[in-house]
């Protein structure tokens, strides 16, 4: 039997609205890392040596050429990188040599990139967080709630954000973002 | 009648004329008019009827405090009741109609009520309409209801859309009058993040209505220039048509922005946006509201606040009357007369209460014709400008239950000391009644707020203006015969206030409730102060000793649609779809809402007459061969850590410490109070790695409670939780051919009973390399597996499973068939795990280990929860096999001729038609049920007119030994 | 309301789920507690009009349980701590 | 003085000059047989029934504010007897029966309007649960009906039948449910109690409860000490504070419930409608305002005010189920402090202190209970035996393991 073909939650959605581009980031793999209690230092060291990233403070992310590491909470982080989703987690597990507990989260989330001038006007209809440069600079990351859906927001660049939400409600999430765009542009 | 009252000047655009209609009559106004100013320009004085006596009413104010001029705006589904004509901007094609009359506005049949006014004093309805008893609901109440109320809803869905938004700022400035503009300029120039909002479409506040100068230019020009400067700043958000309606905890303010109300149509854009403003500091510069004086017959169309008269004359270039009299207790009356004269309007008299003058009556049935002074003089006037002084708009200072303070010198309440944290008040809202003082206070308040935040204000002083005088002598109530209105909309008179006091309703709060004073759509903006003063006068006490007036949100009424935002219709809550949703749609599935999930309920096939046909077929084919069900919605929690097993052992009431790797165990979770909470299976994939499933309904709650246990109860256990519900697509494959089917799909795994026995689990690959997980668990009672793949492979997986099952006649089954099979098998589900049942009730008492401490174990031991005569889960069969059972029926004894709550023996929780048994079956709780197997009782269902004999049987209707699932 | 999360800064309370009095952390051991102790833990509350230490869960955030000290008369919040730290300080461990 | 249509007519003719105070404003006497702490609906009703039905007239009601200043004046005015459990439903059925004769009984028109209550059903499990409830209601002697979508459409064509996220599948209706003019209930009971000799003492805050050797002997107040043979706590949202004066901890948390009213509208709704799949219930007052509410805010508070998220949540529920209310404007909101108990059900009981009694834990449902609560509390105070429909409202029910948990959510007050 032939191997199964993956279908991203939004089928690889990609649209532009004026100068704004909204795109499903179906190429991304997400792996969550949990720091074992008492062995946090070893975990941080392993992350540093294998991923060449320092574990950032909560609310921030650290990036290198290939990976973004978001601190999700006191003992949890999420690694985002372009990869074959299916193999991402074992690869990370191997790289970290068991220094962190890993869970593949790729399929739990849908990721949308929203970028372009005026992006904050769209987001202020959705996102309760303060996205001013001083309080939410590039590489800041946070979980919050948007239109009744749990969501994560990451500022990739000055005018570019990645929004993540549950994959099961991907359609509703996309609808919420599209509606915001429609209401302000 | 073509703008007969239009003067020259004003801040309207005379180059753009605007057509509108009132009660079907076509009129014209100009861009920049409100409906009120345009009606006045056209000489329309009568605009509505009062609530109780249906008295003729005219425009009373020029702002959001308007109690009289409420109209039904627009037509059809877009019509909007109770719209203040003073706030409605004129647009081309605007249609307005008056409210609360039977017959025409001019000849309101209900005006007869006014003749009976002596019998309709405050609270009269509490004293009558009690006899005969049956008449209240049949006669009296319908009459009262149909004459009460003001405007009408269209009863059609609101055609507009609404939105929400979030703003964050260092400083929120509420009101863009002189104080607010001065504050905004100071804060904006300093670089702070500023939001400045004003309810008007033209910023400037009273500067647009008066003839003052600021910085040596006309006040309105200065306001426009200041606004332009603010708009040019990146750090300042300038918002007009935006009412900050509420002050909530910790610097959060609610603001309503009206975006399309001034347009003929909103064309799919949000009509209004409700903003949640997160501010670090706020300056309230909301100005003040003028108040009237209670004098006899003070309610006629033409009686208008003096400040409003100036607004109409100066801002809109409209004369509210041809011959205007003035009644005042302060300097504003004189200013009004001067402004009128400057525009060439005749002023027929000035009655100055400070000189001991007063009014004793007025004339004019549908509009003022003359006023009569206390000294007996009659003065012709079609408009009376009244000023009883100004009440600072302290509303938002009271939203966190702060109390205002009384200031005798201005005869008004001003903000008290207990302001909402972070708020300061400036200008007239703070009792600074002159322009120069307002500008200074606004500037100073902004500088102080910035200082608080550690920001440095830009250099510069407050804008300068000449300090005019404000001299007032308190004067509330002119004695005399005839009714003196205190609340114009609700028809509360000074007499009513006194009567209520006589009857014992002495606290101002009791007074308001008894008389309805201040309960009108203006929330008492024009009436509370007068009512309080009349009460004080009647009590012989000072005003502050009598009480205060405090306010609750919203400052002015806010459309329900705006509060709801986008959450309506299908967008009320998000949809969660399973990975096989698209495929199920292709199979003509019917979907059911389970929480936010949509699940396939059954899959109809051609020729099936109703849902039962489909469900029966799905059950039969599953039990005969193999069926496939998407069970992705079950909660899944990834649990890892050195102490994961110990943790689970404390969460579940049964033992988990020694669950072998590669095995699954059924687990029962109790609440700490000993009641069953949730159940599910947990699989152990390695020493430190478990995967838990929960019920669909409780997935989020179980996760939350496990986090509580992990962080708060046992903080040093090494255990980590990740929700993976959405990460995996999971399918139950059930039936005698399940193994054969999966053998074609799962790569390299021995699925034999020996190789992969009941309650085994494994990580595997499927379909040639896709990672997956396999569990041998059964909810249906059949030989069954659940196979999981990452969600993005879910669609391909269901197709692969169906293809592999073709040779067995595999069918998909939905939640109905799932339910039938679990009832046949006797598994408890949501209807049984209803939060009221114990493990003993469910027959699972043995699962609560007494050898360890787990959540709920201790409190599950309490005596009443372990009574021998308690409820037990049993099965039920109809004695007459043709009878259909109903869930929700109660059980009563055969000879119980008068069943009541105390002879009640239990209730039916779930029912199904069993294709296997060919009759209806049920599950239910019966007192001492386990001892009553074989007994006959009645399923008593009076609400559906049924009373059915049923036999109590084992809950396991089929395969009680579990041979099939272990096969 | 706004809760000033010790790690993440000010967040709208709408992101959180409320549980109740922080004494809910002081769960007695079910094997050794008396009936009375367990009953009082589960059911009785000080319910003060004034300062209240209480548990909030950052469900739409980092999933931390917090102990928030808040005045039930004014809603003023004077302290926010990670519940895990508080639990340890109260002697809870494994 | 008695109230009647004739009186209204006669007073109208004579200038409304002859009306008398509805109640006296007495100073506290040194001693009473019974002192009731709390001049809200339940306290005033208790006093009324003590004096009228049980012949105990040497009674004082002490109230720290003005009478009826608590939840009796801050609710959504709904009456109903649609409970499920045997500990509750007979009590609420008694209450409904008392409502039905209340106005003639205390000679005050409280506008008891039995225009029905409709609880909408949106799923099969909910239908099963409501069928169980509807039958339980019948077993208690109350009326109940299950309606199908077509019947609901005929009654309420304005509900969203076509585009709802949670489609309407049916409803549980109790025709005898409805609304009452809430403030008038307090006034009617106050006037009735006063006429039977009860002293209603406003602006009198209890600052201490005197207990000697396990026996309660009276109270300390801002207007001096008052002795009493029995002291009856009846303080709703302030129960925790009052109980603390007697060193008692209660199975209660105080929470705020917000309610709202729109501007006045011509007749719009036929009765009370509840939408449980959202959080919204609504009725229309005789004055025309739509009176509505939803969930409690969810955190402990004694402040009579709530916050924005719940306002939005409630209005979302409203728009989801009846999108025709979008252009009705919310005029005013208020917050009442609710004595939320651990199982969502109340207490009418003695305490561990002789002579000290408790009536509390009414959660957000105290209004409809007012007559029966007063009646049963009076029964307990007069006879030292619980009334037969209130035998389960005991403080020790959690010790015994017999909670009365209608919603099945356990010992977490903000979920009830």
């Amino acid at each position: 039997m032939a191997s199964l073909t993956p279908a991203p939650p939004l089928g690889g959605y990609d649209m532009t609205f004026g100068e704004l581009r909204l795109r499903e980031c179906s190429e991304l793999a997400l792996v969550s890392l949990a720091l074992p209690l008492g062995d946090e230092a070893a975990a941080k060291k392993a992350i540093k040596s294998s991923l060449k990233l320092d574990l950032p403070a909560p609310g921030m992310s650290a990036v290198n050429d290939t990976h973004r590491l978001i601190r999700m909470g006191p003992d949890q982080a999420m690694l985002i990188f372009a990869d074959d989703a299916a193999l991402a987690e074992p690869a990370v597990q191997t790289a970290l040599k068991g220094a962190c507990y890993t869970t593949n989260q790729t399929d739990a989330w849908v990721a949308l990139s929203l970028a372009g001038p005026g992006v904050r006007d769209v987001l202020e209809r959705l996102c309760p967080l303060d996205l001013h440069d001083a309080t939410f600079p590039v590489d800041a990351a946070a979980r919050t709630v948007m239109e009744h859906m749990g969501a994560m927001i990451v500022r990739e660049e000055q005018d570019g954000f990645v929004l993540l939400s549950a994959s099961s409600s991907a359609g509703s999430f996309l609808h919420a973002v599209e509606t915001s765009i429609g209401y302000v542009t | 009648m073509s703008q007969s009252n239009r003067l020259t000047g004003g801040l309207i655009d005379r180059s753009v004329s605007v057509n509108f209609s009132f009660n079907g009559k076509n009129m014209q106004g100009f861009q920049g008019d409100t409906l009120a100013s345009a009606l006045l320009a056209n000489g329309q004085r009568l605009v509505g009827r009062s609530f109780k006596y249906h008295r003729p009413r005219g425009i009373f104010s020029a702002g959001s405090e308007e109690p009289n001029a409420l109209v039904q705006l627009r037509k059809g589904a877009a019509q909007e009741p109770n719209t203040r004509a003073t706030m409605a901007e004129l647009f081309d094609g605007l249609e307005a109609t008056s409210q609360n009359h039977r017959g025409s506005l001019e000849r309101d049949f209900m005006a007869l009520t006014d003749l009976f006014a002596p019998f309709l004093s405050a609270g009269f309805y509490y004293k009558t309409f009690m006899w005969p008893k049956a008449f209240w609901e049949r006669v009296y109440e319908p009459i009262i209801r149909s004459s009460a109320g003001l405007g009408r809803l269209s009863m059609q869905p609101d055609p507009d859309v609404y939105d929400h938004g979030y703003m964050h700022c260092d400083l929120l400035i509420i009101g863009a009058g002189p104080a607010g503009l001065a504050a905004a300029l100071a804060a904006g120039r300093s670089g702070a993040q500023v939001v400045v909002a004003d309810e008007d479409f033209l910023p400037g506040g009273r500067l647009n209505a008066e003839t003052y100068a600021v910085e040596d230019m006309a006040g309105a020009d200065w306001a426009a220039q200041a606004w332009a400067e603010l708009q040019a700043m990146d750090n300042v958000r300038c918002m007009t048509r935006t009412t900050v309606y509420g002050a909530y905890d910790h610097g959060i303010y609610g603001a309503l922005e009206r975006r399309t109300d001034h347009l003929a149509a909103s064309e799919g854009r949000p009509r209004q946006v409700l903003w949640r403003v997160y501010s670090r500091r706020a300056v309230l510069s909301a100005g003040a509201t003028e108040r009237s004086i209670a004098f006899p017959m003070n309610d006629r169309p033409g009686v208008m606040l003096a400040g409003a008269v100036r607004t109409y004359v100066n801002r809109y270039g409209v004369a509210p009357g041809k011959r205007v009299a003035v009644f005042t207790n302060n300097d504003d009356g004189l200013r009004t007369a001067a402004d009128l004269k400057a525009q060439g309007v005749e002023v027929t008299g000035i009655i100055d209460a400070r000189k001991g003058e007063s009014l004793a009556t007025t004339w004019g049935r549908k509009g003022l014709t003359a006023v009569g002074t206390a000294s007996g003089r009659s003065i012709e006037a079609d408009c009376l400008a009244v000023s009883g002084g100004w009440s600072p708009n302290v509303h938002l200072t009271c939203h966190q239950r702060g109390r205002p303070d009384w200031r005798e010198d201005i005869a008004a309440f001003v903000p008290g000391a207990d302001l909402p944290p972070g708020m300061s008040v400036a200008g007239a809202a703070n009792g600074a009644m002159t322009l120069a003082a307002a500008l200074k206070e606004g500037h100073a308040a902004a500088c102080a707020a910035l200082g608080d935040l550690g920001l440095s204000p830009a250099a510069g002083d407050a804008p300068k203006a000449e300090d005019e005088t404000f001299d007032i002598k308190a004067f509330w109530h002119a004695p005399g015969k005839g009714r003196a209105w205190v609340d114009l909309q609700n028809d509360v008179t000074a007499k009513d206030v006194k009567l209520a006091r006589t009857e014992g309703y002495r606290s101002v709060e009791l007074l308001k409730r008894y008389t309805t004073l201040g309960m009108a759509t203006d929330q008492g903006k024009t009436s509370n102060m007068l009512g309080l003063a009349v009460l004080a006068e009647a009590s012989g006490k000072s005003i502050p000793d009598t009480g205060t007036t405090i306010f609750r949100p919203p400052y002015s009424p806010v459309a329900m649609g705006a509060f709801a935002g986008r959450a309506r219709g299908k967008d009320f809550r998000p949809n969660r779809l399973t990975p096989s949703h698209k495929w199920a749609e292709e199979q003509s599935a019917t979907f059911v809402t389970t929480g936010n999930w949509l699940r396939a309920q059954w899959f109809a096939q051609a020729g099936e007459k109703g849902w039962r046909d489909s469900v029966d077929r799905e059950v039969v084919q599953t039990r005969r061969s193999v069926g496939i069900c998407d069970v992705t919605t079950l909660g899944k929690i990834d649990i890892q850590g050195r102490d994961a097993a110990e943790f689970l052992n404390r969460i579940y009431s049964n033992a988990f410490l020694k669950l072998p790797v590669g095995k699954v165990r059924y687990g029962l979770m109790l609440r700490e109070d000993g009641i069953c909470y949730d159940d599910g299976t947990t699989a152990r994939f390695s020493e430190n790695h478990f995967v838990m499933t929960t019920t669909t309904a409780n997935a989020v709650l179980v996760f939350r409670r496990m986090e509580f246990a992990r962080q708060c109860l046992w903080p040093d256990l090494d255990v980590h939780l990740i929700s993976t519900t959405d990460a995996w697509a999971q399918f139950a494959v059930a039936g005698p051919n399940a193994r054969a089917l999966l053998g074609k799909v799962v790569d390299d795994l021995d699925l034999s009973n020996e190789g992969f026995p009941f309650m085994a689990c494994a990580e595997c690959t499927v379909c040639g390399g896709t990672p997956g997980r396999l569990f041998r668990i059964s909810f249906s009672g059949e030989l069954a597996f659940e196979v999981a793949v990452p969600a993005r492979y879910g669609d391909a997986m269901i197709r692969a499973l169906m293809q592999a099952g073709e040779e067995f006649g595999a069918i998909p089954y939905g939640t109905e068939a799932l339910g039938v099979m679990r009832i046949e098998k006797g598994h408890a589900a949501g209807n049984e795990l209803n939060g009221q049942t114990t493990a003993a009730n469910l027959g699972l008492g043995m699962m609560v280990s007494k050898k360890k401490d787990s959540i709920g174990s201790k409190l599950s031991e309490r005596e009443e929860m372990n009574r021998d005569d308690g409820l037990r889960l049993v099965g039920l069969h109809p004695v007459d096999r043709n009878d259909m059972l109903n869930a929700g029926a109660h059980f009563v004894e055969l000879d119980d001729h008068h069943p009541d709550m105390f002879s009640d023996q239990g209730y039916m929780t779930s029912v199904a038609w069993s294709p296997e048994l060919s009759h209806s079956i049920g599950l239910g709780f019966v007192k001492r049920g386990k001892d009553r197997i074989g007994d006959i009782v009645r399923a008593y269902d009076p609400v559906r007119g049924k009373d059915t004999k049923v036999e109590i049987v084992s809950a396991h209707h089929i395969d009680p030994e579990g041979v099939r699932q272990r096969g | 309301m706004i809760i000033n999360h010790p790690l993440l800064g000010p967040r709208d309370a709408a992101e959180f789920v409320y549980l109740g009095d922080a004494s809910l952390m002081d769960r007695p051991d079910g094997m050794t507690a008396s009936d009375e102790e367990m009953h009082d833990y589960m059911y009785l509350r000080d319910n003060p009009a004034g300062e209240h230490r209480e548990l909030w869960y950052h469900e739409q955030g980092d999933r931390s349980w917090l102990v928030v000290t808040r005045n039930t008369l004014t809603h003023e919040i004077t302290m926010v701590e990670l519940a895990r730290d508080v639990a340890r300080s109260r002697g809870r461990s494994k | 003085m008695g109230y009647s249509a004739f009186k209204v007519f006669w007073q109208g003719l004579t200038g409304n000059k002859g009306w008398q105070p509805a109640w006296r404003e007495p100073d506290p006497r040194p001693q009473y047989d019974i002192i009731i702490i709390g001049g809200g609906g339940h306290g005033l009703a208790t006093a009324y029934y003590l004096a009228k039905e049980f012949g105990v007239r040497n009674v004082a009601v002490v109230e720290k504010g003005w009478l009826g200043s608590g939840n009796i004046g801050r609710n959504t005015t709904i009456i109903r007897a649609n409970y499920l459990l045997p500990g509750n439903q007979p009590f609420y059925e008694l209450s409904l029966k008392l409502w039905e004769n209340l106005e003639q009984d205390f000679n005050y028109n409280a506008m008891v309007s039995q225009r029905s209550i409709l609880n909408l059903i949106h799923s099969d499990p909910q239908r099963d649960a409501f069928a169980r409830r509807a039958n339980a209601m019948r077993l208690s002697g109350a009326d109940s009906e299950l309606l199908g979508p077509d019947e609901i459409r005929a009654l309420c064509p304005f509900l969203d039948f076509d585009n709802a996220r949670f489609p309407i599948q049916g409803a549980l209706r109790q025709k005898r449910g409805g609304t009452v003019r809430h403030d008038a209930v307090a006034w009617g009971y106050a006037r009735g109690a006063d006429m039977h000799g009860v002293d209603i003492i406003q602006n009198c805050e209890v600052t201490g409860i005197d207990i000697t050797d396990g026996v309660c002997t009276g109270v300390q107040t801002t207007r001096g000490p008052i002795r009493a043979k029995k002291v009856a706590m009846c303080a709703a949202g302030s129960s925790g504070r009052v109980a603390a004066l007697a060193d008692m901890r209660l199975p209660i948390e105080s929470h705020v419930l917000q309610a709202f009213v729109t501007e006045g509208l011509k007749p719009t709704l036929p009765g009370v409608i509840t939408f449980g799949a959202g959080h919204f219930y609504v009725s229309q007052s005789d004055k025309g305002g739509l009176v509505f509410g939803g969930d409690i805010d969810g955190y402990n508070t004694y402040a009579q005010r709530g916050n924005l998220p719940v306002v939005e949540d409630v209005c979302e529920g409203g728009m989801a189920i009846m999108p025709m209310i979008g252009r009705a404007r919310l005029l005013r909101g208020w917050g009442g402090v609710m004595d939320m108990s651990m199982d969502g059900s109340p207490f009418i009981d003695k305490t561990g202190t002789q002579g000290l009694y408790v009536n509390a834990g009414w959660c957000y449902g105290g209004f409809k209970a007012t007559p029966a609560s007063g009646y049963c509390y009076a029964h307990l105070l007069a006879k030292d035996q619980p009334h037969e429909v209130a035998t389960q409202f005991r403080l020790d029910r959690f010790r015994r393991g017999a909670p009365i948990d209608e919603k099945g959510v356990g010992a977490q007050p903000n979920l009830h």
Side-chain angles (χ1 to χ4, degrees), chain D residues 88-127:
Chain D
N88 273 331
Q89 173 61 14
F91 172 87
Y92 288 101
E93 176 57 19
L94 170 68
S95 209
L96 198 46
K97 287 208 174 79
L98 290 169
W99 283 120
E100 285 169 337
N101 293 297
L102 186 65
E103 296 156 311
Q104 290 71 27
D105 191 76
F106 66 23
N107 180 231
Y108 201 95
N109 186 357
M111 305 179 195
V112 176
S113 173
Q114 293 179 287
R115 297 171 357 114
S116 86
I117 178 165
L118 213 55
N119 306 113
L120 298 176
I121 295 172
H122 304 272
S123 71
D124 289 343
Q126 202 188 2
R127 179 194 306 280

Side-chain angles (χ1 to χ4, degrees), chain B residues 249-250 276 278 650 672-673 703-704 707-708 711-716 850 852-854 858 862, chain C residues 1-2 12 24 27 30-31 33 35 38 43 57 59 63-65 75 84 87-88 92-94:
Chain B
D249 279 316
H250 308 154
R276 201 180 288 184
Y278 300 86
R650 299 180 192 185
E672 190 69 274
D673 69 352
F703 190 92
R704 186 187 300 163
E707 280 289 358
F708 174 73
Q711 296 177 39
C712 299
L713 300 183
W714 306 299
D716 289 335
K850 297 199 186 305
K852 60 163 187 172
D853 178 26
S854 64
K858 173 78 180 172
R862 288 173 291 173
Chain C
M1 292 200 290
I2 291 176
D12 194 313
L24 286 166
R27 179 183 184 273
M31 298 303 275
D35 292 351
M38 206 68 190
Y43 291 107
Y57 173 54
E59 184 147 275
R63 309 285 165 102
S64 281
W65 278 89
H75 297 172
R84 191 170 215 158
R88 285 181 180 135
R92 302 201 72 90
S93 176
K94 285 197 170 187

Side-chain angles (χ1 to χ4, degrees), chain D residues 59-198:
Chain D
V59 174
V61 178
V62 292
E63 164 57 47
K64 77 172 170 190
W66 35 278
L67 66 87
S69 54
N71 294 340
I72 189 77
R74 315 172 153 265
N75 59 71
T76 43
T77 79
I78 295 167
I79 61 168
R80 58 186 169 91
N82 57 359
Y83 282 70
L84 169 67
L85 298 173
N88 273 331
Q89 173 61 14
F91 172 87
Y92 288 101
E93 176 57 19
L94 170 68
S95 209
L96 198 46
K97 287 208 174 79
L98 290 169
W99 283 120
E100 285 169 337
N101 293 297
L102 186 65
E103 296 156 311
Q104 290 71 27
D105 191 76
F106 66 23
N107 180 231
Y108 201 95
N109 186 357
M111 305 179 195
V112 176
S113 173
Q114 293 179 287
R115 297 171 357 114
S116 86
I117 178 165
L118 213 55
N119 306 113
L120 298 176
I121 295 172
H122 304 272
S123 71
D124 289 343
Q126 202 188 2
R127 179 194 306 280
D128 295 346
F130 273 174
R132 177 187 168 203
R133 177 182 300 263
N135 283 323
M137 290 160 66
R138 295 285 187 101
L139 285 170
S140 77
D143 67 307
S144 66
E145 293 165 273
L146 287 177
L147 304 185
D150 292 343
E151 291 163 290
I152 301 166
R153 196 190 281 262
L155 289 168
C156 306
F158 49 81
L159 297 178
D160 191 347
F161 291 91
D162 305 321
N163 191 40
R165 174 72 178 79
F166 300 102
I168 299 166
Q169 295 190 4
L172 167 64
R173 176 165 69 166
Q174 182 169 47
K175 276 190 173 169
R176 288 160 65 233
T179 55
V180 181
R181 169 78 181 100
H182 55 346
D183 291 318
V185 177
W187 302 336
Y189 276 125
R191 178 169 159 273
D194 178 88
M195 287 200 302
H196 285 94
V198 172

Side-chain angles (χ1 to χ4, degrees), chain A:
Chain A
M1 183 172 273
S3 185
L4 300 178
T5 312
L10 298 172
Y13 178 96
D14 192 347
M15 290 276 279
T16 53
F17 303 84
E19 292 181 81
L20 274 174
R21 182 175 178 199
L22 178 63
R23 182 179 71 84
E24 181 182 16
C25 312
S26 48
E27 73 284 4
L28 295 181
L30 282 64
V31 176
S32 75
L33 314 178
L35 314 181
L37 191 74
D39 292 333
E40 290 87 352
K44 285 177 195 170
K45 216 169 133 189
I47 291 169
K48 177 79 181 168
S49 65
S50 65
L51 301 170
K52 310 286 180 263
L53 285 171
D54 287 314
L55 185 66
M60 284 300 289
S61 61
V63 276
N64 60 25
D65 291 345
T66 52
H67 289 66
R68 179 180 292 274
L69 183 65
I70 303 170
R71 185 75 174 270
M72 305 288 286
D75 56 2
Q76 223 180 70
M78 175 102 88
L79 193 61
I80 304 185
F81 53 107
D83 198 75
D84 179 343
L87 304 174
E89 191 259 339
V92 173
Q93 179 63 257
T94 307
L96 291 173
K97 301 193 180 78
C100 295
Y101 304 115
T102 54
T103 305
N104 196 336
Q105 287 277 76
T106 309
D107 293 81
W109 298 84
V110 61
L112 285 169
S113 150
L114 178 64
V119 62
R120 272 181 44 201
D121 296 337
V122 175
L123 289 173
E124 73 177 3
R125 300 292 185 87
L126 267 181
C127 175
L129 301 177
D130 185 355
L131 302 180
H132 282 114
D133 296 349
T135 42
F136 204 80
V138 171
D139 291 338
R143 273 175 98 155
T144 183
V145 60
M146 304 184 188
E147 287 292 317
H148 299 282
M149 288 169 273
M152 189 166 20
I153 177 166
V154 185
R155 190 168 200 167
E156 281 196 318
E157 52 193 35
Q158 182 60 25
D159 277 337
F161 292 80
V162 174
L163 310 176
L164 298 101
S165 189
S167 60
S168 63
S169 47
S172 293
F173 192 67
L174 174 65
H175 174 62
V177 179
E178 283 182 328
T179 303
S180 292
I181 295 170
Y183 282 175
V184 302
T185 52

